[in-house]
Amino acid sequence: MREDYKIGGATAKVDVMVEKGVAENLQKMADYTKLSVSEIANTALKRFISTHKDFLPPPPRK
């Protein structure tokens, strides 16, 4: 399971604002698990995207 958190592909920097409590909890999680905040956030965002496909635009028509 922990290997699921490793970032294996190309990366890009994203600048986001989150609630203070979210940022604090991310840091606590990183400190406790020894995973980076980026690894935790990347996994959380991938899970969000996979369950919210309706937020993505439809694929182009052929």
Side-chain angles (χ1 to χ4, degrees):
M1 179 78 168
R2 285 202 177 243
E3 290 306 311
D4 294 343
Y5 287 82
K6 299 298 177 196
I7 298 174
T11 61
K13 188 170 181 80
V14 176
D15 184 27
V16 298
M17 296 293 294
V18 297
E19 294 172 358
K20 184 178 179 183
V22 172
E24 291 169 350
N25 281 334
L26 276 172
Q27 190 58 58
K28 287 177 188 176
M29 293 168 79
D31 293 343
Y32 181 72
T33 63
K34 305 304 182 215
L35 295 166
S36 70
V37 170
S38 292
E39 290 169 323
I40 294 168
N42 187 66
T43 301
L45 288 168
K46 284 173 31 178
R47 289 178 181 172
F48 178 87
I49 291 166
S50 73
T51 58
H52 294 284
K53 297 277 189 204
D54 56 318
F55 284 28
L56 292 170
R61 288 190 242 169
K62 292 183 179 181

